[in-house]
Amino acid sequence: VVYTDGSPIVGANIYEYKNEQNNTISYVDGYFQLTIERKHALFVTYIGFERQDIKLDKYKSPYITIVLREGKNLILGEI
């Protein structure tokens, strides 16, 4: 999981779609490991960034790069 400039994102949340108990976070190098069936999908979230939904069946390799983009219309409030 990386920023648009290619630098790694630490602590991005990665979930299996429709099975959020199967999840992990990205490591210091941006890498993560999550075992799911190829026909399923995953989504990636990180505070201040747009959620990315990834359909795995279109990828041939088990290794993918996920680029997160800053959220332009996200409202972050203080509590």
Side-chain angles (χ1 to χ4, degrees):
V1 181
V2 297
Y3 295 103
T4 54
D5 68 0
S7 59
I9 294 179
V10 180
N13 300 291
I14 302 101
Y15 301 92
E16 180 178 359
Y17 186 70
K18 293 188 178 180
N19 181 13
E20 294 181 23
Q21 281 73 20
N22 187 18
N23 64 76
T24 190
I25 62 170
S26 58
Y27 309 123
V28 70
D29 54 8
Y31 287 89
F32 68 92
Q33 183 173 347
L34 187 66
T35 303
I36 67 174
E37 292 185 37
R38 183 166 295 282
K39 65 182 178 180
H40 292 182
L42 56 85
F43 65 94
V44 182
T45 62
Y46 191 66
I47 294 176
F49 287 77
E50 295 177 0
R51 173 179 150 163
Q52 294 292 317
D53 297 325
I54 311 294
K55 293 183 179 179
L56 297 176
D57 58 357
K58 71 178 188 176
Y59 294 97
K60 296 194 185 313
S61 171
Y63 304 101
I64 60 174
T65 299
I66 300 169
V67 180
L68 294 184
R69 291 171 178 74
E70 288 187 58
K72 294 182 178 157
N73 296 322
L74 297 177
I75 299 172
L76 299 176
E78 292 184 31
I79 298 177

